[in-house]
């Protein structure tokens, strides 16, 4: 049974009121950061009709160990974090915005969480955007994901020398999500480090505009 580690944390909001928005973005922050930090990216993603929701992780950490550590070492935090993403999607659905009109976006640990949730809960999403992240778990552990992403647009942006995200894991994640039916675009930036690039935000905004027009 999951402990309610992340369930009672605050959620910051921006953009259109959720009840009036045509689409939503759930924004997942990185380790040691917070909801306010990731919500700050919304000022660079000015697409009309979007509501932005940024849940806060307990103690600013979605899970305690590295994302490629044995899964059990990140429990019960990881299960609680995945549950929190599901709760946010359900909240959007209750307000009239289904998953196929909701974008999951994350940076670093939040990007890993967004990818992992979508792989474990494959369906059509509005889009999936992972900025410096990869699927969670050790590389030697086989994936057991079920379902199909049904053409969900997927964007992965990362550095070729990210100190936290091995390039091999980004490559594997892109290939795996494509096998699951995602329309994957991957961009690897030379010597970018562990940060967010304007080019990445341009790609995310493009996905948002396509969703807003649909």
């Amino acid at each position: 049974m999951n402990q309610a580690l992340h369930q009672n944390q605050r959620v910051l909001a921006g953009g259109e009121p959720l009840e009036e928005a045509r689409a939503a973005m759930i924004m997942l922050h990185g380790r040691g950061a917070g909801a306010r930090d990731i919500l700050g990216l919304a000022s660079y993603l000015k697409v009309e009709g979007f509501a932005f929701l940024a849940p806060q992780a307990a103690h600013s950490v979605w899970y305690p160990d590295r994302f490629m550590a044995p899964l059990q070492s990140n429990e019960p935090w990881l299960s609680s974090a995945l549950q929190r993403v599901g709760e946010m999607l359900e909240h959007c659905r209750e307000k009239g915005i289904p998953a196929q009109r909701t974008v999951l976006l994350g940076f670093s640990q939040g990007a890993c969480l967004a990818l992992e949730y979508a792989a474990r809960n494959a369906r059509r999403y509005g889009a999936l955007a992972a900025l410096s992240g990869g699927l969670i778990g050790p590389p030697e552990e086989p994936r057991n994901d079920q379902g199909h992403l049904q053409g969900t647009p997927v964007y992965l942006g990362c550095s070729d020398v990210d100190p936290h995200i091995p390039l091999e894991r980004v490559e594997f994640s892109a290939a795996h999500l494509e096998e699951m039916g995602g329309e994957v675009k991957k961009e690897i930036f030379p010597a970018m480090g562990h940060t967010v690039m304007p080019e990445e935000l341009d790609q995310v905004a493009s996905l948002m505009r396509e969703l807003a027009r649909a």
Side-chain angles (χ1 to χ4, degrees), residues 107-109 131-133 158-159 161-165 192-196:
F107 170 67
S108 190
Q109 198 179 63
L131 310 178
S132 300
C158 197
S159 172
V161 290
D162 191 305
H164 304 288
I165 312 294
M192 179 178 81
H194 196 63
T195 187
V196 177

Side-chain angles (χ1 to χ4, degrees), residues 132-134 156-159 165-175 186-188:
S132 300
L156 295 97
C158 197
S159 172
I165 312 294
L167 179 58
E168 294 80 8
R169 194 59 174 175
V170 180
E171 303 278 6
F172 168 80
S173 301
K186 176 189 65 184
E187 279 193 297
I188 304 300

